[in-house]
Amino acid sequence: MANRKLPKKQNLYFERLMASIATLNLFLVLFDLSYVPWRDFYLRKVPEITKIYDPIKGIEQHRETQNYLNKIDLLKAQVSQTGITSPEVKTQLQEISRLSNEMIEGNPFAAVGKSGTLERIKKRMRDRIGNDSAKQSFATFWSQPYLSQKGWIQEITFFNQKISPLIATNYYRQIGENNEFINYFWLIDLPFVCLFGLELLGRVIYIRSSHPGFSWLNAILWRWYDLFLLIPFWRWLRIIPVTIRLDHARLLNLQPINKQIHQVVVANFAEELTEIVIIRVINQIQGSIQKGEITRWLLQNDKLRPYIDINDINEVEAIAGLLVQTIVDQVLPKIQPELVALLQHNINSAFHQVPIYKNLQSLPGVGQAQTQISEQLATQITTNLYNVLVSAIKDPIGAKLSSQLAHSFTQALGNEIQQKHVLSEIQSLLVDFLEEVKLNYVQRLSQEDIDQIIEQTRQLKSIPNSIVRSGE
């Protein structure tokens, strides 16, 4: 699904045809799975469906509850002919009362897991009569005195609307020799499975011809999701190949969902991976500090621990020399006017602090001469200092002496730090500082931070595409 290639028009028509057939098969599978749990709904809203599909699921009318409803129909016919007070009606009411008692005791609803329906029937009858006993409530309801007093039309209407539909939902389901409920859906599913099997065989042959190095297993695994269309169990898993087929046929765009799933996975993985990597690096730095390797790195002292040198160069001294050369050759010439101005200001300040100069300042031309002198002096000092630095760097002897000075300074500093026991304190402070970094920053890395990083990455990736579109 991640790569929506544009197939040829003929292939696209075929892909759409097969995707439509797979979708139809999936709907049939979902309907079959939902039929038994939703049969009551189908029976109330679309009873024609139950007449067609009940035999496929091995469902038939329950003899006991259907006989009960048939007796009610006979009672209705008898009342319409002879009235509610006739002896024939009395006999039928007694029979129905007996059947009601047997229904409550025998619970014919239990075999198909509909005991809750019987409980609803009993509750409604108890509420109607106002008696805590369901048996007594049915016996009272199916009696001539009660029906005559309350009115036959009113009570039979209540039964037809509230009780009879619940009793009608009960059924008997046949059980096969394997102790499982009968289900002939496989007869409906078989043509689809055969079609998908032939399609998979054709695709596998085509894949092998296109990739001679592939084995049969590799070719089948290329279309791994189609295997769910062939298995006779867990048919609901067919939603996987159907979804992929709809995406390949460009009937359904799953790129936003796919991208969101990838973002969630990457975010969760990146958060933990980032913490692990950073904490591991910090732990290694802490270990190196505690072992005193930072001193060896600064001093390049092989006696502390064998050190792997890849270029026979003291990087610390080389970096220092490079910085000095850059400062002298590039930086100082650019800032020379500022240095001259700073020195001139300091010289002027020194003149003003001399008591004799304050008295001479009142004489004509002294102030102007002082300004010229301080400017020339500042320029001369800056020029001479710069020339000294350049000569020291370019002069081989001066460069050697400077290198010796830097080496001696580093070695002396390291020796003094070790003698004064300052190194252990520095190491302890560095270790504590890194621990605080882990606690305050690394372990506080939140999902929101990762989401922001991923969103920024996505925006960066979209910039070249937008530039290409604008160029078009």
Side-chain angles (χ1 to χ4, degrees):
M1 288 188 294
N3 186 12
R4 285 170 58 93
K5 295 182 179 179
L6 298 179
K8 296 180 180 179
K9 183 172 292 187
Q10 296 82 356
N11 293 341
L12 182 60
Y13 288 151
F14 178 76
E15 292 291 343
R16 288 183 173 179
L17 174 62
M18 296 306 300
S20 301
I21 296 175
T23 303
L24 174 61
N25 177 250
L26 177 63
F27 281 139
L28 291 176
V29 167
L30 297 179
F31 173 78
D32 179 75
L33 294 175
S34 67
Y35 182 76
V36 173
W38 290 6
R39 183 180 179 275
D40 293 355
F41 171 79
Y42 296 135
L43 184 64
R44 291 194 306 269
K45 302 297 182 180
V46 195
E48 292 79 9
I49 292 180
T50 60
K51 295 179 181 178
I52 298 173
Y53 212 76
D54 274 357
I56 296 174
K57 305 298 286 186
I59 293 176
E60 58 186 35
Q61 294 178 343
H62 196 281
R63 296 176 183 177
E64 183 177 342
T65 52
Q66 188 59 39
N67 179 56
Y68 186 88
L69 295 177
N70 292 337
K71 293 294 184 181
I72 302 298
D73 292 337
L74 293 175
L75 175 65
K76 295 176 185 177
Q78 188 65 46
V79 170
S80 63
Q81 294 177 4
T82 61
I84 189 64
T85 59
S86 65
E88 294 81 4
V89 170
K90 181 178 180 180
T91 301
Q92 291 183 358
L93 288 174
Q94 291 175 350
E95 177 65 13
I96 294 175
S97 180
R98 182 185 65 81
L99 293 176
S100 300
N101 190 55
E102 291 180 356
M103 182 176 65
I104 295 174
E105 291 182 348
N107 188 9
F109 297 83
V112 289
K114 295 180 65 66
S115 297
T117 302
L118 179 60
E119 292 301 321
R120 292 171 62 190
I121 294 172
K122 291 159 60 176
K123 182 179 184 302
R124 291 183 179 183
M125 189 58 73
R126 289 195 301 265
D127 294 341
R128 185 71 176 182
I129 303 301
N131 194 313
D132 293 337
S133 172
K135 294 181 180 180
Q136 294 178 4
S137 297
F138 270 98
T140 301
F141 185 86
W142 297 119
S143 64
Q144 283 182 325
Y146 176 82
L147 294 175
S148 300
Q149 179 184 1
K150 296 294 183 178
W152 163 255
I153 301 299
Q154 177 179 333
E155 295 306 308
I156 200 63
T157 301
F158 159 76
F159 185 87
N160 291 336
Q161 294 179 351
K162 302 297 183 181
I163 305 298
S164 181
L166 295 179
I167 298 177
T169 60
N170 191 36
Y171 58 87
Y172 171 77
R173 191 172 181 187
Q174 302 175 31
I175 299 178
E177 296 180 356
N178 58 353
N179 292 326
E180 299 289 338
F181 288 121
I182 294 292
N183 188 358
Y184 295 109
F185 177 75
W186 65 272
L187 292 174
I188 300 176
D189 192 47
L190 182 60
F192 291 96
V193 173
C194 293
L195 176 62
F196 295 140
L198 291 175
E199 181 205 11
L200 180 60
L201 178 61
R203 290 183 183 273
V204 168
I205 294 175
Y206 175 77
I207 292 172
R208 281 213 66 194
S209 62
S210 302
H211 303 82
F214 273 25
S215 64
W216 286 104
L217 179 60
N218 291 335
I220 294 175
L221 292 179
W222 187 288
R223 301 283 300 189
W224 61 270
Y225 47 86
D226 284 340
L227 297 177
F228 292 115
L229 296 171
L230 307 180
I231 58 177
F233 49 88
W234 297 341
R235 292 187 177 98
W236 56 271
L237 288 175
R238 296 182 185 182
I239 192 174
I240 297 175
V242 169
T243 304
I244 296 176
R245 282 170 174 263
L246 290 175
D247 183 66
H248 287 172
R250 295 162 58 190
L251 295 173
L252 181 67
N253 186 9
L254 299 179
Q255 292 306 302
I257 300 177
N258 191 29
K259 186 178 294 184
Q260 188 64 30
I261 293 175
H262 285 174
Q263 179 172 343
V264 172
V265 174
V266 171
N268 293 332
F269 180 72
E271 180 179 357
E272 296 184 4
L273 181 63
T274 303
E275 290 184 359
I276 291 173
V277 171
I278 296 178
I279 291 176
R280 182 174 177 82
V281 171
I282 292 177
N283 288 339
Q284 290 179 344
I285 296 174
Q286 287 178 320
S288 299
I289 293 174
Q290 292 171 345
K291 294 176 182 178
E293 294 181 356
I294 188 173
T295 305
R296 179 211 43 77
W297 180 76
L298 291 172
L299 304 181
Q300 300 286 299
N301 191 346
D302 295 336
K303 296 180 180 180
L304 296 177
R305 182 176 179 268
Y307 181 72
I308 301 175
D309 195 345
I310 62 174
N311 54 11
D312 295 328
I313 295 176
N314 188 325
E315 286 80 5
V316 177
E317 295 180 2
I319 292 173
L322 182 61
L323 289 176
V324 171
Q325 185 174 358
T326 302
I327 292 173
V328 172
D329 292 342
Q330 305 295 332
V331 178
L332 288 180
K334 295 179 180 180
I335 64 172
Q336 186 173 1
E338 288 78 6
L339 291 176
V340 172
L342 178 62
L343 287 175
Q344 184 178 355
H345 171 72
N346 291 329
I347 294 172
N348 289 333
S349 300
F351 274 122
H352 286 294
Q353 292 177 1
V354 177
I356 299 177
Y357 176 76
K358 293 181 180 180
N359 298 326
L360 295 175
Q361 217 174 10
S362 58
L363 297 176
V366 174
Q368 183 178 1
Q370 179 266 327
T371 301
Q372 293 177 355
I373 293 173
S374 60
E375 182 178 355
Q376 293 177 1
L377 186 59
T379 302
Q380 190 66 32
I381 292 174
T382 305
T383 303
N384 293 337
L385 179 60
Y386 176 74
N387 292 332
V388 169
L389 292 176
V390 171
S391 300
I393 293 175
K394 294 183 177 181
D395 183 15
I397 299 176
K400 182 177 180 181
L401 293 175
S402 299
S403 177
Q404 292 177 354
L405 175 62
H407 178 74
S408 300
F409 174 79
T410 304
Q411 188 174 12
L413 177 61
N415 293 334
E416 290 300 321
I417 290 176
Q418 292 185 53
Q419 292 178 4
K420 300 299 183 180
H421 305 287
V422 179
L423 183 60
S424 60
E425 185 175 353
I426 293 177
Q427 291 175 346
S428 177
L429 291 173
L430 287 175
V431 170
D432 293 341
F433 170 73
L434 292 173
E435 191 67 28
E436 291 176 358
V437 170
K438 287 194 295 184
L439 295 174
N440 290 281
Y441 299 100
V442 180
Q443 295 182 0
R444 287 184 181 180
L445 188 63
S446 63
Q447 181 70 34
E448 290 75 12
D449 298 331
I450 295 297
D451 290 339
Q452 292 177 2
I453 294 172
I454 294 177
E455 183 61 29
Q456 293 172 2
T457 304
R458 181 182 300 175
Q459 292 176 359
L460 289 175
K461 290 182 178 179
S462 65
I463 290 176
N465 296 331
S466 62
I467 294 176
V468 171
R469 295 192 192 98
S470 62
E472 294 176 354

